Amino acid sequence: QVHLVESGGGFLQAGGSLRLSCAASGRTENNPAMGWFRQAPGKEREFVAAISWSGRLTFYSDSVKGRATIARDNEKKTSMLQMSSLKPEDTAVYYCAAESLNSLTDRMTPNDFNSWGRGTPVTVSA
């Protein structure tokens, strides 16, 4: 299994930007596909973005498309998520995921990934 640790986030203002990082360790020799999900209070965990092992393919949910960029550095075993034009509805705990069990699409679900980080909270104030 892949061990994931997220960092970044915190308290941000609407219209601002955020940068999250995810450090991977453990079974990373195959550079597994990685993704980001988020879970707002009282809501289900939802897909944000995903990136293929090579970094050439990226996928985004409709809610962040055009505002988010996912990237990875296979040498450093990290994944990054940048988002701009933040909205209060972006407030959530953001989770890093790895080892997709299915082909990547823009409609991934939590069941599509095998490894998870503990999450990092992001709060966007109006």
Side-chain angles (χ1 to χ4, degrees):
Q1 199 169 14
V2 179
H3 181 60
L4 303 169
V5 178
E6 303 94 339
S7 61
F11 293 91
L12 304 164
Q13 289 192 330
S17 60
L18 71 79
R19 178 184 170 90
L20 304 178
S21 293
C22 174
S25 60
R27 199 172 63 192
T28 62
E29 60 274 10
N30 293 326
N31 293 321
M34 299 182 75
W36 287 90
F37 286 72
R38 65 186 182 185
Q39 188 166 14
K43 294 188 176 181
E44 294 186 352
R45 193 170 298 189
E46 67 170 3
F47 171 68
V48 176
I51 188 166
S52 64
W53 70 272
S54 67
R56 295 195 191 101
L57 298 177
T58 56
F59 302 85
Y60 300 93
S61 67
D62 288 343
S63 61
V64 303
K65 196 171 292 182
R67 300 190 295 126
T69 301
I70 186 172
R72 67 186 296 159
D73 184 329
N74 286 340
E75 286 192 11
K76 296 181 179 179
K77 306 295 185 184
T78 58
S79 170
M80 292 74 70
L81 178 70
Q82 297 188 77
M83 285 179 57
S84 60
S85 302
L86 291 173
K87 308 172 184 179
E89 48 264 44
D90 292 321
T91 295
V93 176
Y94 284 70
Y95 295 90
C96 178
E99 296 189 294
S100 64
L101 303 175
N102 299 301
S103 298
L104 297 183
T105 71
D106 57 2
R107 298 183 186 278
M108 307 299 290
T109 72
N111 289 335
D112 291 326
F113 285 87
N114 190 48
S115 298
W116 292 88
R118 293 188 175 183
T120 184
V122 172
T123 302
V124 181
S125 60

